[in-house]
Amino acid sequence: MIKWSAALAVVVSGTAAFVGVTALSSEAATTLTVAADGTGQYKTVQAAVNAVAANNSSRATINIKAGTYREIVSIPSNKPYITLNGTGSGPSNVVIVNNRSNAGGYGTFGSATVTVAAKEFIATNLTFSNDYGTGSQAVAINMNGDKGIYKNVRFLGNQDTLLANTQRQYITNSYVEGTVDFIFGDATAVFNATSIYQKRSTGGPLTAARTPSGNTYGFLIYKSTITGATNNTTQLGRPWGATAQVLFRESSLSATIATGQPWIDMSSNSWKNARFFEYKNTGSGATTNSNRPQMSASTAANYTPQKYLAGSDNWNPIG
């Protein structure tokens, strides 16, 4: 279970330029107000993050009021236990967005609108977006810190929307959209009760995992819903790394799935050598054939969300 020990609450509203801040004591039970009209101390999400003391030992909650925040946000590794919480009526009311891209010289990883390097980061009720457009990798979020939790969050982009780069990540009751490889990376990540939408009319692969060969678990798409703009055009994934591990489990697969060949090769990496499986999926896109490896019930007992995320410390954000 999550330990919700509040140490810092920051309220952010509207879009404005960066303002300088002084880091607060990690132990101070403080509420800070940030407003676009200048009546508060902070005008950007990054300014609020900067206010959290380095090496803080308790949770700092940043409550973000409705608005669009066009900025680049970085949560450094020495600022753990930060929560970004949208206080609007839904995740679409608080949008953190930028338009950096690989083509723009930032590299794929560096194109991220939000980069999280700190452990035990939480995001709730908001949107991470990269609105660069098409034609290049352009990441909405780069997840690096261990034990990240994303609840009721929208991830919007085109190619390479969500980079689950390292460590353990838990995404639940959320929404991810994109065009190509828009869930990708090395991490162990569970997508629970999440809607995944392929927005390109010509389709493309949803996932591009690069699971290290020594890691049992990569991506688990669990009790989620897969839809797309067109029928019979969307692949479940392709292996960015030769030993990629992806399981679509007990999920609803719509007619957007390319049922004859839902897994495809990537460069020299063959999907047949990757660890790609399905288990008890439903919907018109959940047909079976020789190109769709199905996990056995006995094996599936060890491929639950809890097993993916437990690690050596028995982490269980699911409850």
Side-chain angles (χ1 to χ4, degrees), residues 64-264:
I64 309 174
K65 287 189 176 181
T68 298
Y69 301 82
R70 183 164 288 277
E71 56 178 300
I72 298 295
V73 176
S74 176
I75 314 291
S77 60
N78 65 350
K79 294 192 177 184
Y81 315 120
I82 286 179
T83 295
L84 299 185
N85 174 53
T87 62
S89 59
S92 63
N93 295 123
V94 175
V95 179
I96 303 172
V97 59
N98 218 293
N99 63 354
R100 287 182 174 177
S101 70
N102 188 14
Y106 294 98
T108 299
F109 291 14
S111 71
T113 298
V114 176
T115 298
V116 180
K119 69 177 182 179
E120 300 199 41
F121 172 79
I122 298 173
T124 59
N125 200 41
L126 48 73
T127 296
F128 298 121
S129 176
N130 190 315
D131 62 358
Y132 167 77
T134 60
S136 179
Q137 297 90 341
V139 175
I141 189 164
N142 181 346
M143 303 173 179
N144 283 284
D146 194 26
K147 297 196 285 190
I149 297 175
Y150 301 81
K151 184 175 182 179
N152 195 30
V153 173
R154 297 192 310 161
F155 303 91
L156 309 183
N158 290 288
Q159 185 172 354
D160 292 7
T161 303
L162 188 158
L163 171 55
N165 193 27
T166 60
Q167 309 290 343
R168 291 169 291 178
Q169 313 297 334
Y170 180 55
I171 299 93
T172 184
N173 293 293
S174 293
Y175 173 85
V176 190
E177 72 172 30
T179 59
V180 179
D181 303 336
F182 58 95
I183 297 173
F184 73 114
D186 297 18
T188 296
V190 172
F191 296 80
N192 177 38
T194 289
S195 296
I196 301 172
Y197 179 67
Q198 165 56 260
K199 60 193 273 188
R200 190 169 69 167
S201 62
T202 54
L206 303 176
T207 66
R210 193 173 63 175
T211 319
S213 59
N215 290 11
T216 302
Y217 302 118
F219 294 165
L220 171 60
I221 316 299
Y222 179 70
K223 293 189 176 181
S224 293
T225 302
I226 315 303
T227 58
T230 54
N231 292 344
N232 202 36
T233 57
T234 298
Q235 293 85 32
L236 297 176
R238 58 180 181 169
W240 185 22
T243 58
Q245 195 282 317
V246 181
L247 169 62
F248 281 76
R249 176 175 181 150
E250 298 173 63
S251 291
S252 174
L253 310 183
S254 76
T256 193
I257 301 300
T259 54
Q261 189 67 67
W263 304 104
I264 59 175

Side-chain angles (χ1 to χ4, degrees), residues 294-317:
Q294 303 294 311
M295 184 172 281
S296 68
S298 59
T299 301
N302 288 315
Y303 283 78
T304 63
Q306 291 86 352
K307 295 283 189 179
Y308 269 73
L309 298 174
S312 60
D313 58 356
N314 293 313
W315 185 48
N316 183 11

